[in-house]
Amino acid sequence: MTETNPAELPPSDHPESEERSNRRRFRSALALVAALGVVGLLVIVFAGRFGKDPRLVDSPLIGKPAPTIELEYLEESGTWSLEAMRGQIVVVNFWASWCVACRLEHDDLLAAAATYRDRGVQFVGVDFQDELGDAISFLDEMGRGQGYVYLADPGSRVAIEYGVYGIPETFFIDPDGNVAAKIAGESTYAILTSTIEGIRQGTLPALP
């Protein structure tokens, strides 16, 4: 009987070569499983914290006391203070007449403000780097919300304290005066109301 020397086998038939190939496949499979596990975990974490809409974003302010807002009304005399709203949810939207996305989201903001007008939620619009006449013309054209407060922010002092870098940006402040969530970009009625409900139900802010 003729015996075959393993050293004489072709590389594909060599026992050691096949063993190494099996080990490589096993390691590749383990790496793939680990990678999928990490991706799945990230999806769960980010979905749980920020929701499904990517416009609901993280901010270093979330979970911390909201910066002070004490500004003059846009169209009338007097000063509005955030501190006086303690115990209510406050939705602060930074907008301007020249902002295209602000125009697109305006009706949704008014609708959400009307929905929560008598339910302990105050909507506030802070005019950002705008001309007073242009801002008023914008509101004349687009409409003013029921119970909606519009404020002027000369020098963008409040916007700077909130870290606003592009509008529209919308901040949600819980009844204890802490920032609970932030929307970057155009908001919608659905994301506005779902975020408010998250605060009312105690699921926001979602902190690690």
Side-chain angles (χ1 to χ4, degrees):
M1 180 176 179
T2 303
E3 294 184 356
T4 302
N5 186 342
E8 297 175 352
L9 291 173
S12 60
D13 295 333
H14 199 291
E16 293 183 1
S17 176
E18 184 176 353
E19 184 179 352
R20 286 196 298 270
S21 178
N22 288 337
R23 285 200 298 267
R24 283 197 298 270
R25 284 196 293 268
F26 181 70
R27 286 196 296 267
S28 297
L30 283 180
L32 178 60
V33 170
L36 291 174
V38 171
V39 171
L41 179 61
L42 289 174
V43 169
I44 292 172
V45 169
F46 280 92
R49 179 163 184 178
F50 305 123
K52 295 181 180 180
D53 196 308
R55 287 168 289 194
L56 194 61
V57 300
D58 197 9
S59 166
L61 294 177
I62 291 178
K64 298 178 181 178
T68 300
I69 300 178
E70 191 164 342
L71 295 172
E72 293 185 358
Y73 292 105
L74 185 68
E75 300 181 88
E76 57 188 271
S77 60
T79 300
W80 184 90
S81 171
L82 175 62
E83 182 63 28
M85 295 292 105
R86 190 62 61 90
Q88 297 189 49
I89 295 172
V90 181
V91 181
V92 182
N93 173 256
F94 290 87
W95 65 282
S97 63
W98 45 263
C99 166
V100 175
C102 299
R103 181 176 292 270
L104 295 174
E105 72 173 2
H106 191 74
D107 286 345
D108 292 79
L109 285 164
L110 299 192
T115 297
Y116 288 97
R117 181 181 180 186
D118 299 318
R119 298 169 62 186
V121 181
Q122 176 66 62
F123 276 70
V124 180
V126 180
D127 193 30
F128 176 77
Q129 296 184 1
D130 207 359
E131 296 292 334
L132 177 59
D134 293 339
I136 293 175
S137 294
F138 176 94
L139 295 176
D140 287 341
E141 176 190 352
M142 302 294 294
R144 294 165 176 79
Q146 299 177 359
Y148 212 115
V149 173
Y150 297 98
L151 306 174
D153 184 20
S156 304
R157 178 182 58 80
V158 170
I160 291 171
E161 291 181 358
Y162 276 79
V164 174
Y165 57 86
I167 57 170
E169 288 189 11
T170 305
F171 294 82
F172 297 79
I173 302 169
D174 68 20
D176 294 325
N178 299 315
V179 177
K182 172 188 174 182
I183 297 174
E186 178 189 345
S187 60
T188 65
Y189 180 83
I191 192 172
L192 288 165
T193 55
S194 64
T195 304
I196 291 171
E197 288 304 314
I199 298 171
R200 288 162 61 95
Q201 295 167 14
T203 59
L204 289 174
L207 300 174

